[in-house]
Amino acid sequence: MKRLILFCLTALPLIALTQEKNSSTPDKIYGALFNDVQLQRIFPDGKTFVDCTPKRKVADIMYDYGLMKGPGFDLKKFVADNFDLPVIPSVIYTSDSKQDLSTHIKNLWSVLKRNPDTAKEGSSLLPLPHPYIVPGGRFREIYYWDSYFTMLGLKESNEWEMIENMINNFAFLINTYGHIPNGNRSYYLSRSQPPFFALMVTLLADKNGPKVYATYQKELQKEYD
């Protein structure tokens, strides 16, 4: 028993350190490289680099950057060689002018759906365990209070499974980070949005009954506190 207690006490700081590392923001992870890419406007959109994922270990990239940086150094090529740019969905949705509005919206859900994430070193994405809906375009992550209004649309399309998946993702964020950030990116952890989690739960409770409140009672209390 003493050994178990000692192990837990030893492991707790390591768990906290791992969580902190996984939620580090791009400016902390990439330091001077981040500053140079953003200040030199390598990309027209400042959101592009912070959404990139490294092709190899961050430590190796930063080591090589320190060695190679100097006169004649091609920063844009270095970034292209070492990072995967944010993925542009291959599905190109074209609306049918003969469709009514509700059908148009219903068809969009599959375009805006994202599957559960996989954690990647050096990525700003906070991985979520369930599918979710994104706004689309350059907004490749789920957003907090925006999602309530998305859920109203999902309700009209009878997409209750997706509503529950998204609520479960927000409950996961509350339990993992102590709050629901602006969006599931590390650079959004420093801020949130109006607390709509309770309204989301109510939306599902209106469909499945009061038992839903009991399911999310812990997370509701955490956000309220």
Side-chain angles (χ1 to χ4, degrees):
M1 187 64 177
K2 288 182 178 179
R3 288 183 177 180
L4 179 60
I5 293 173
L6 181 61
F7 172 77
C8 290
L9 290 174
T10 306
L12 280 173
L14 294 176
I15 293 171
L17 183 63
T18 301
Q19 184 172 324
E20 182 181 348
K21 181 179 179 182
N22 290 339
S23 60
S24 293
T25 53
D27 60 315
K28 298 292 193 301
I29 296 172
Y30 298 109
L33 174 59
F34 169 85
N35 290 336
D36 291 343
V37 169
Q38 299 294 63
L39 291 175
Q40 294 184 34
R41 299 184 182 276
I42 298 301
F43 302 105
D45 186 352
K47 194 175 186 300
T48 302
F49 183 65
V50 295
D51 290 356
C52 286
T53 53
K55 294 180 180 180
R56 55 197 181 104
K57 289 184 178 181
V58 172
D60 293 340
I61 292 175
M62 295 308 298
Y63 179 79
D64 288 346
Y65 181 65
L67 289 179
M68 297 169 64
K69 185 179 178 182
F73 175 65
D74 190 336
L75 180 58
K76 188 171 185 177
K77 183 178 184 304
F78 181 84
V79 172
D81 290 343
N82 288 280
F83 292 88
D84 288 319
L85 269 62
V87 176
I88 299 173
S90 57
V91 179
I92 300 175
Y93 180 76
T94 303
S95 61
D96 185 346
S97 60
K98 296 179 181 179
Q99 289 178 347
D100 57 33
L101 183 58
S102 60
T103 303
H104 168 77
I105 293 173
K106 189 175 180 65
N107 290 339
L108 275 174
W109 297 132
S110 60
V111 178
L112 299 173
K113 177 186 175 183
R114 298 295 179 266
N115 292 318
D117 303 307
T118 302
K120 295 180 180 178
E121 182 200 6
S123 171
S124 64
L125 190 69
L126 304 176
L128 297 176
H130 305 281
Y132 53 96
I133 300 293
V134 302
R138 68 194 287 268
F139 299 108
R140 297 170 278 265
E141 49 283 313
I142 198 171
Y143 286 81
Y144 183 11
W145 81 318
D146 308 51
S147 293
Y148 173 71
F149 304 102
T150 299
M151 289 177 188
L152 295 180
L154 289 166
K155 173 188 174 183
E156 294 301 316
S157 298
N158 206 32
E159 296 282 350
W160 290 101
E161 183 179 358
M162 179 56 75
I163 290 174
E164 188 169 2
N165 282 330
M166 291 168 69
I167 292 173
N168 286 334
N169 280 330
F170 287 133
F172 168 81
L173 289 170
I174 290 172
N175 289 322
T176 304
Y177 302 103
H179 70 288
I180 300 174
N182 189 88
N184 63 313
R185 292 279 179 184
S186 60
Y187 52 78
Y188 286 143
L189 277 171
S190 61
R191 60 189 185 274
S192 185
Q193 288 184 324
F196 269 66
F197 183 67
L199 286 175
M200 296 173 182
V201 173
T202 297
L203 194 66
L204 189 60
D206 289 344
K207 168 71 173 176
N208 295 340
K211 62 182 180 181
V212 172
Y213 291 112
T215 301
Y216 300 103
Q217 181 179 2
K218 181 179 68 173
E219 291 80 14
L220 287 165
Q221 185 67 52
K222 279 185 177 181
E223 181 170 65
Y224 178 77
D225 290 341

